[in-house]
Amino acid sequence: MATTICFIIWVLFITDTVWTRSVRQVYEANDSEDWMVHDFHCPRECFCPPSFPTALYCENRGLKAIPAIPSRIWYLYLENNLIETIPEKPFENATQLRWINLNKNKITNYGIEKGALSQLKKLLFLFLEDNELEEVPSPLPRSLEQLQLARNKVSRIPQGTFSNLENLTLLDLQHNKLLDNAFQRDTFKGLKNLMQLNMAKNSLRNMPPRLPANTMQLFLDNNSIEGIPENYFNVIPKVAFLRLNHNKLSDAGLPSSGFNVSSILDLQLSHNQLTKVPKISAHLQHLHLDHNKIKNVNVSVICPTTPITLPAEQDSFSYGPHLRYLRLDGNEIKPPIPMDLMICFRLLQAVII
């Protein structure tokens, strides 16, 4: 039980790291320029709460243009309006901006003036979800840590788009129109600190090439991916959470070593075309294989053979394979659960068939 609790805490920590590391920086007022020296001018279209003087709330107002942003503002909320363009002029004094939310507008790539975003040298969070973008906007400020572009019409990533975004930790491109030809081998070059990459709900048939080495969370659900190249995971040695639900993966499309990757802790392969359980690492803790075409579980094949180093003072029970959760429902497997499955994976706490 204590081990499970520790794992849950670790998962929450890793999942939230992408957010919390940057959020702390947003709230730390290390700048020598104090907002209190500025006036409290507030655009008449917006609301400026006296208790939160660095925030400007302009959401849900039917705005068609971005108002002039006062220099004291760090947090700008413009979501759910009718804005089509992002010109430079409204931001000419907004040198302190850390957070911009422009979700649910009508912004196109043609409507973004070239220097409008790149001039914001302290910007950390940029939300452009639910707009009309057809490619990833560029140029963007080097300071950026999170870029949210879900539910647009993105089908292109211009060369060099990410080349200067070395601080980016999260890139969300889910629910767009990306095809395999959107990627070149150097598309993600420059993303040295990227930890989470979400490209779920696109039209990919292949795994994206040459992902950043620090990627820890890779989400590719709801594509049409048929296979994974041999040694694909060698370039992302830190990947811990891998989601490939709702694809077209078959046994023939998997690497010979399956998913025997020591860094992967959570593997989701639900709603594919697998007929057998793939090889896994002894370090894997959660495995989702529901709604495939699996008829039986060959434990002699899937039971990890690579031993985990056993400290002299610890018992072998605690240091066997780490699998704790296994989901196999929606296949052609009939109970009972094979006894040798429980013997191999002695830490299993839930098996769903």
Side-chain angles (χ1 to χ4, degrees), residues 132-144:
E132 303 292 329
L133 299 174
E134 295 183 358
E135 62 182 45
V136 178
S138 179
L140 295 169
R142 185 182 297 271
S143 57
L144 202 63

Side-chain angles (χ1 to χ4, degrees), residues 99-128:
W99 175 296
I100 299 177
N101 190 334
L102 277 159
N103 291 344
K104 296 185 178 180
N105 278 283
K106 298 180 179 296
I107 298 167
T108 65
N109 290 96
Y110 298 107
I112 303 176
E113 195 170 350
K114 187 169 184 179
L117 296 172
S118 60
Q119 68 177 327
L120 305 174
K121 304 300 184 184
K122 296 183 180 180
L123 188 65
L124 301 176
F125 298 82
L126 179 58
F127 297 83
L128 285 165

Side-chain angles (χ1 to χ4, degrees), residues 14-61:
I14 291 298
T15 304
D16 290 342
T17 294
V18 175
W19 289 93
T20 57
R21 186 177 70 177
S22 297
V23 170
R24 283 197 298 270
Q25 293 174 1
V26 171
Y27 282 93
E28 289 170 0
N30 293 324
D31 202 284
S32 58
E33 187 174 6
D34 191 342
W35 60 264
M36 293 183 68
V37 304
H38 298 292
D39 62 42
F40 283 87
H41 167 69
C42 185
R44 60 186 178 85
E45 306 95 328
C46 307
F47 171 62
C48 302
S51 60
F52 197 6
T54 57
L56 183 61
Y57 292 91
C58 312
E59 75 274 31
N60 304 306
R61 283 168 166 77

Side-chain angles (χ1 to χ4, degrees), residues 106-109 128-136 149-157 173-179 202:
K106 298 180 179 296
I107 298 167
T108 65
N109 290 96
L128 285 165
E129 299 177 349
D130 297 286
N131 277 281
E132 303 292 329
L133 299 174
E134 295 183 358
E135 62 182 45
V136 178
L149 298 172
R151 294 175 299 279
N152 276 274
K153 300 176 182 179
V154 175
S155 62
R156 299 185 300 275
I157 304 176
L173 286 164
Q174 67 172 305
H175 214 304
N176 277 283
K177 296 186 176 182
L178 291 169
L179 298 168
N202 279 279

Side-chain angles (χ1 to χ4, degrees), residues 146-189:
Q146 291 194 20
L147 179 58
Q148 307 267 2
L149 298 172
R151 294 175 299 279
N152 276 274
K153 300 176 182 179
V154 175
S155 62
R156 299 185 300 275
I157 304 176
Q159 189 168 13
T161 294
F162 301 126
S163 60
N164 71 324
L165 299 185
E166 58 194 32
N167 294 306
L168 200 70
T169 60
L170 183 150
L171 175 59
D172 190 349
L173 286 164
Q174 67 172 305
H175 214 304
N176 277 283
K177 296 186 176 182
L178 291 169
L179 298 168
D180 295 327
N181 60 11
F183 306 103
Q184 306 299 321
R185 287 186 62 82
D186 62 349
T187 294
F188 298 103
K189 186 177 182 180

